[in-house]
Short mmCIF file of all heavy atoms in Angstrom, two decimals:
data_model
loop_
_atom_site.label_atom_id
_atom_site.label_comp_id
_atom_site.label_asym_id
_atom_site.label_seq_id
_atom_site.Cartn_x
_atom_site.Cartn_y
_atom_site.Cartn_z
N GLU A 427 -5.94 33.42 -25.66
CA GLU A 427 -7.39 33.25 -25.59
C GLU A 427 -8.07 34.61 -25.48
O GLU A 427 -7.62 35.48 -24.74
CB GLU A 427 -7.79 32.44 -24.36
CG GLU A 427 -7.49 30.98 -24.45
CD GLU A 427 -7.97 30.24 -23.21
OE1 GLU A 427 -9.18 29.97 -23.11
OE2 GLU A 427 -7.12 29.96 -22.35
N TYR A 428 -9.14 34.76 -26.23
CA TYR A 428 -10.01 35.92 -26.09
C TYR A 428 -11.44 35.44 -26.28
O TYR A 428 -11.73 34.79 -27.28
CB TYR A 428 -9.71 36.99 -27.15
CG TYR A 428 -10.70 38.13 -27.07
CD1 TYR A 428 -10.50 39.18 -26.20
CD2 TYR A 428 -11.86 38.11 -27.84
CE1 TYR A 428 -11.43 40.20 -26.10
CE2 TYR A 428 -12.80 39.13 -27.73
CZ TYR A 428 -12.59 40.16 -26.86
OH TYR A 428 -13.51 41.17 -26.75
N PRO A 429 -12.37 35.73 -25.40
CA PRO A 429 -12.12 36.26 -24.07
C PRO A 429 -11.50 35.18 -23.20
O PRO A 429 -11.57 33.99 -23.52
CB PRO A 429 -13.51 36.64 -23.56
CG PRO A 429 -14.45 35.74 -24.30
CD PRO A 429 -13.79 35.47 -25.62
N LYS A 430 -10.90 35.61 -22.10
CA LYS A 430 -10.13 34.67 -21.29
C LYS A 430 -10.98 33.75 -20.42
O LYS A 430 -10.46 32.84 -19.83
CB LYS A 430 -9.10 35.41 -20.45
CG LYS A 430 -9.68 36.34 -19.41
CD LYS A 430 -8.55 37.05 -18.69
CE LYS A 430 -9.10 38.04 -17.68
NZ LYS A 430 -8.02 38.79 -17.07
N SER A 431 -12.28 33.98 -20.37
CA SER A 431 -13.14 33.05 -19.63
C SER A 431 -14.49 32.93 -20.32
O SER A 431 -14.92 33.83 -21.03
CB SER A 431 -13.33 33.53 -18.18
OG SER A 431 -14.25 34.59 -18.12
N ASP A 432 -15.14 31.81 -20.10
CA ASP A 432 -16.45 31.56 -20.71
C ASP A 432 -17.53 32.47 -20.12
O ASP A 432 -18.57 32.66 -20.73
CB ASP A 432 -16.87 30.10 -20.49
CG ASP A 432 -16.01 29.14 -21.29
OD1 ASP A 432 -15.44 29.57 -22.31
OD2 ASP A 432 -15.91 27.98 -20.88
N GLU A 433 -17.25 33.03 -18.95
CA GLU A 433 -18.25 33.88 -18.29
C GLU A 433 -18.39 35.22 -19.00
O GLU A 433 -19.41 35.88 -18.89
CB GLU A 433 -17.85 34.10 -16.83
CG GLU A 433 -17.81 32.80 -16.05
CD GLU A 433 -16.95 32.91 -14.81
OE1 GLU A 433 -16.53 34.02 -14.44
OE2 GLU A 433 -16.69 31.86 -14.22
N GLU A 434 -17.36 35.62 -19.71
CA GLU A 434 -17.38 36.91 -20.38
C GLU A 434 -18.03 36.76 -21.75
O GLU A 434 -17.62 35.94 -22.55
CB GLU A 434 -15.96 37.46 -20.50
CG GLU A 434 -15.32 37.65 -19.14
CD GLU A 434 -13.87 38.01 -19.24
OE1 GLU A 434 -13.58 39.14 -19.66
OE2 GLU A 434 -13.05 37.16 -18.90
N LYS A 435 -19.06 37.55 -21.98
CA LYS A 435 -19.78 37.49 -23.24
C LYS A 435 -19.04 38.32 -24.29
O LYS A 435 -18.68 39.46 -24.05
CB LYS A 435 -21.21 38.01 -23.07
CG LYS A 435 -22.01 37.24 -22.05
CD LYS A 435 -22.23 35.82 -22.48
CE LYS A 435 -23.04 35.06 -21.46
NZ LYS A 435 -22.68 33.71 -21.30
N ALA A 436 -18.82 37.74 -25.43
CA ALA A 436 -18.13 38.45 -26.51
C ALA A 436 -18.72 37.98 -27.83
O ALA A 436 -19.15 36.83 -27.97
CB ALA A 436 -16.63 38.17 -26.46
N LYS A 437 -18.71 38.87 -28.81
CA LYS A 437 -19.18 38.51 -30.15
C LYS A 437 -18.14 37.71 -30.90
O LYS A 437 -18.44 37.08 -31.90
CB LYS A 437 -19.54 39.78 -30.93
CG LYS A 437 -20.73 40.50 -30.37
CD LYS A 437 -21.04 41.73 -31.17
CE LYS A 437 -22.24 42.44 -30.57
NZ LYS A 437 -22.59 43.65 -31.28
N LEU A 438 -16.91 37.76 -30.42
CA LEU A 438 -15.79 37.09 -31.07
C LEU A 438 -15.04 36.28 -30.04
O LEU A 438 -14.79 36.74 -28.93
CB LEU A 438 -14.86 38.15 -31.68
CG LEU A 438 -13.61 37.65 -32.39
CD1 LEU A 438 -13.98 36.97 -33.70
CD2 LEU A 438 -12.66 38.82 -32.65
N SER A 439 -14.68 35.05 -30.39
CA SER A 439 -13.85 34.21 -29.53
C SER A 439 -12.67 33.71 -30.36
O SER A 439 -12.85 33.30 -31.51
CB SER A 439 -14.63 33.01 -28.99
OG SER A 439 -15.67 33.42 -28.15
N ILE A 440 -11.50 33.72 -29.75
CA ILE A 440 -10.29 33.28 -30.43
C ILE A 440 -9.49 32.38 -29.49
O ILE A 440 -9.29 32.73 -28.32
CB ILE A 440 -9.38 34.47 -30.83
CG1 ILE A 440 -10.16 35.47 -31.67
CG2 ILE A 440 -8.13 33.99 -31.55
CD1 ILE A 440 -9.47 36.82 -31.77
N TYR A 441 -9.07 31.25 -30.01
CA TYR A 441 -8.13 30.39 -29.29
C TYR A 441 -6.99 30.10 -30.26
O TYR A 441 -7.22 29.62 -31.37
CB TYR A 441 -8.78 29.07 -28.86
CG TYR A 441 -7.79 28.12 -28.25
CD1 TYR A 441 -7.32 28.32 -26.96
CD2 TYR A 441 -7.29 27.06 -28.98
CE1 TYR A 441 -6.38 27.48 -26.40
CE2 TYR A 441 -6.35 26.20 -28.43
CZ TYR A 441 -5.90 26.41 -27.14
OH TYR A 441 -4.96 25.58 -26.59
N ASN A 442 -5.78 30.45 -29.86
CA ASN A 442 -4.60 30.28 -30.71
C ASN A 442 -3.53 29.55 -29.90
O ASN A 442 -3.17 29.99 -28.81
CB ASN A 442 -4.10 31.66 -31.13
CG ASN A 442 -3.23 31.67 -32.37
OD1 ASN A 442 -2.71 32.71 -32.72
ND2 ASN A 442 -3.06 30.57 -33.05
N ASN A 443 -3.07 28.41 -30.40
CA ASN A 443 -2.06 27.62 -29.70
C ASN A 443 -0.95 27.27 -30.69
O ASN A 443 -1.23 26.77 -31.79
CB ASN A 443 -2.70 26.34 -29.14
CG ASN A 443 -1.71 25.51 -28.36
OD1 ASN A 443 -0.86 24.85 -28.93
ND2 ASN A 443 -1.84 25.55 -27.04
N ILE A 444 0.28 27.54 -30.29
CA ILE A 444 1.44 27.23 -31.12
C ILE A 444 2.39 26.41 -30.26
O ILE A 444 2.83 26.87 -29.20
CB ILE A 444 2.14 28.50 -31.63
CG1 ILE A 444 1.20 29.35 -32.49
CG2 ILE A 444 3.38 28.14 -32.43
CD1 ILE A 444 0.65 30.53 -31.79
N ASP A 445 2.68 25.20 -30.71
CA ASP A 445 3.64 24.33 -30.03
C ASP A 445 4.88 24.20 -30.89
O ASP A 445 4.76 23.87 -32.08
CB ASP A 445 3.07 22.92 -29.82
CG ASP A 445 2.04 22.86 -28.72
OD1 ASP A 445 2.19 23.58 -27.74
OD2 ASP A 445 1.10 22.06 -28.86
N ILE A 446 6.02 24.42 -30.29
CA ILE A 446 7.27 24.16 -30.99
C ILE A 446 7.89 22.95 -30.32
O ILE A 446 8.28 23.00 -29.15
CB ILE A 446 8.21 25.38 -30.98
CG1 ILE A 446 7.49 26.55 -31.66
CG2 ILE A 446 9.52 25.04 -31.68
CD1 ILE A 446 8.27 27.81 -31.78
N GLN A 447 7.91 21.86 -31.07
CA GLN A 447 8.37 20.58 -30.56
C GLN A 447 9.88 20.42 -30.76
O GLN A 447 10.48 21.11 -31.59
CB GLN A 447 7.62 19.46 -31.27
CG GLN A 447 6.14 19.44 -30.99
CD GLN A 447 5.84 19.05 -29.57
OE1 GLN A 447 6.51 18.21 -28.97
NE2 GLN A 447 4.82 19.68 -28.99
N PRO A 448 10.51 19.49 -30.05
CA PRO A 448 11.95 19.27 -30.21
C PRO A 448 12.35 18.77 -31.60
O PRO A 448 13.47 19.01 -32.03
CB PRO A 448 12.28 18.22 -29.14
CG PRO A 448 11.17 18.28 -28.15
CD PRO A 448 9.96 18.73 -28.92
N SER A 449 11.44 18.09 -32.30
CA SER A 449 11.78 17.55 -33.61
C SER A 449 10.54 17.51 -34.50
O SER A 449 9.41 17.53 -34.01
CB SER A 449 12.33 16.12 -33.47
OG SER A 449 11.29 15.23 -33.12
N PRO A 450 10.74 17.42 -35.82
CA PRO A 450 9.59 17.27 -36.72
C PRO A 450 8.78 16.00 -36.43
O PRO A 450 7.56 16.00 -36.58
CB PRO A 450 10.23 17.21 -38.11
CG PRO A 450 11.52 17.95 -37.96
CD PRO A 450 11.99 17.62 -36.56
N GLU A 451 9.45 14.95 -35.99
CA GLU A 451 8.74 13.70 -35.67
C GLU A 451 7.80 13.92 -34.48
O GLU A 451 6.67 13.44 -34.48
CB GLU A 451 9.74 12.58 -35.37
CG GLU A 451 10.58 12.15 -36.56
CD GLU A 451 11.75 13.10 -36.87
OE1 GLU A 451 12.15 13.89 -36.00
OE2 GLU A 451 12.23 13.06 -38.01
N ASP A 452 8.29 14.65 -33.47
CA ASP A 452 7.44 14.97 -32.32
C ASP A 452 6.26 15.84 -32.75
O ASP A 452 5.15 15.68 -32.24
CB ASP A 452 8.24 15.68 -31.23
CG ASP A 452 9.25 14.78 -30.55
OD1 ASP A 452 9.05 13.55 -30.52
OD2 ASP A 452 10.26 15.31 -30.05
N ALA A 453 6.51 16.77 -33.67
CA ALA A 453 5.44 17.64 -34.16
C ALA A 453 4.37 16.82 -34.88
O ALA A 453 3.18 17.08 -34.71
CB ALA A 453 6.00 18.72 -35.07
N ALA A 454 4.78 15.84 -35.66
CA ALA A 454 3.81 14.99 -36.37
C ALA A 454 2.93 14.24 -35.39
O ALA A 454 1.71 14.16 -35.56
CB ALA A 454 4.54 14.02 -37.30
N VAL A 455 3.52 13.70 -34.33
CA VAL A 455 2.75 12.99 -33.31
C VAL A 455 1.81 13.95 -32.58
O VAL A 455 0.63 13.66 -32.38
CB VAL A 455 3.69 12.28 -32.30
CG1 VAL A 455 2.92 11.74 -31.11
CG2 VAL A 455 4.47 11.17 -32.99
N SER A 456 2.32 15.11 -32.21
CA SER A 456 1.51 16.12 -31.52
C SER A 456 0.34 16.57 -32.40
O SER A 456 -0.79 16.75 -31.92
CB SER A 456 2.38 17.31 -31.13
OG SER A 456 1.63 18.28 -30.47
N TYR A 457 0.60 16.75 -33.69
CA TYR A 457 -0.45 17.14 -34.64
C TYR A 457 -1.55 16.08 -34.69
O TYR A 457 -2.74 16.40 -34.63
CB TYR A 457 0.16 17.37 -36.02
CG TYR A 457 -0.86 17.65 -37.10
CD1 TYR A 457 -1.41 18.92 -37.25
CD2 TYR A 457 -1.27 16.65 -37.98
CE1 TYR A 457 -2.35 19.18 -38.24
CE2 TYR A 457 -2.20 16.91 -38.97
CZ TYR A 457 -2.73 18.17 -39.09
OH TYR A 457 -3.67 18.43 -40.07
N ASP A 458 -1.15 14.83 -34.80
CA ASP A 458 -2.14 13.74 -34.85
C ASP A 458 -2.98 13.70 -33.58
O ASP A 458 -4.20 13.53 -33.64
CB ASP A 458 -1.45 12.39 -35.06
CG ASP A 458 -0.94 12.21 -36.48
OD1 ASP A 458 -1.42 12.93 -37.40
OD2 ASP A 458 -0.04 11.37 -36.68
N LEU A 459 -2.34 13.88 -32.42
CA LEU A 459 -3.08 13.90 -31.16
C LEU A 459 -4.02 15.10 -31.09
O LEU A 459 -5.16 14.98 -30.62
CB LEU A 459 -2.11 13.91 -29.98
CG LEU A 459 -1.31 12.62 -29.76
CD1 LEU A 459 -0.25 12.81 -28.69
CD2 LEU A 459 -2.24 11.46 -29.40
N SER A 460 -3.56 16.25 -31.57
CA SER A 460 -4.41 17.45 -31.58
C SER A 460 -5.63 17.24 -32.46
O SER A 460 -6.75 17.60 -32.08
CB SER A 460 -3.63 18.66 -32.08
OG SER A 460 -2.61 19.01 -31.18
N LYS A 461 -5.44 16.66 -33.63
CA LYS A 461 -6.56 16.41 -34.53
C LYS A 461 -7.57 15.44 -33.90
O LYS A 461 -8.78 15.63 -34.04
CB LYS A 461 -6.09 15.86 -35.87
CG LYS A 461 -5.67 16.97 -36.82
CD LYS A 461 -5.42 16.46 -38.20
CE LYS A 461 -6.71 16.21 -38.91
NZ LYS A 461 -6.58 15.96 -40.33
N LYS A 462 -7.06 14.44 -33.19
CA LYS A 462 -7.96 13.51 -32.52
C LYS A 462 -8.76 14.22 -31.44
O LYS A 462 -9.96 14.01 -31.30
CB LYS A 462 -7.19 12.33 -31.93
CG LYS A 462 -6.76 11.36 -32.99
CD LYS A 462 -6.00 10.19 -32.42
CE LYS A 462 -5.64 9.27 -33.59
NZ LYS A 462 -4.41 8.59 -33.43
N GLY A 463 -8.10 15.09 -30.69
CA GLY A 463 -8.79 15.85 -29.65
C GLY A 463 -9.79 16.84 -30.20
O GLY A 463 -10.81 17.13 -29.58
N LEU A 464 -9.51 17.37 -31.39
CA LEU A 464 -10.38 18.35 -32.02
C LEU A 464 -11.43 17.71 -32.95
O LEU A 464 -12.19 18.43 -33.59
CB LEU A 464 -9.55 19.35 -32.83
CG LEU A 464 -8.74 20.34 -32.00
CD1 LEU A 464 -7.73 21.07 -32.88
CD2 LEU A 464 -9.66 21.34 -31.31
N ARG A 465 -11.46 16.41 -33.00
CA ARG A 465 -12.37 15.71 -33.93
C ARG A 465 -13.81 16.20 -33.84
O ARG A 465 -14.43 16.48 -34.87
CB ARG A 465 -12.30 14.21 -33.73
CG ARG A 465 -13.13 13.45 -34.76
CD ARG A 465 -12.83 12.01 -34.72
NE ARG A 465 -11.37 11.93 -34.80
CZ ARG A 465 -10.71 10.99 -35.43
NH1 ARG A 465 -11.33 10.05 -36.03
NH2 ARG A 465 -9.40 10.98 -35.46
N PRO A 466 -14.40 16.38 -32.64
CA PRO A 466 -15.78 16.88 -32.60
C PRO A 466 -15.92 18.27 -33.22
O PRO A 466 -16.93 18.56 -33.87
CB PRO A 466 -16.11 16.91 -31.10
CG PRO A 466 -15.14 15.99 -30.46
CD PRO A 466 -13.91 16.02 -31.30
#
Side-chain angles (χ1 to χ4, degrees):
E427 286 182 79
Y428 175 86
K430 65 182 177 185
S431 77
D432 291 335
E433 298 158 10
E434 300 172 71
K435 301 295 180 216
K437 293 180 180 179
L438 179 71
S439 295
I440 304 164
Y441 174 76
N442 201 186
N443 183 285
I444 299 103
D445 285 325
I446 301 182
Q447 295 291 323
S449 71
E451 294 78 19
D452 291 334
V455 170
S456 180
Y457 174 80
D458 287 340
L459 291 172
S460 293
K461 276 190 77 169
K462 285 180 179 148
L464 288 167
R465 186 168 309 216

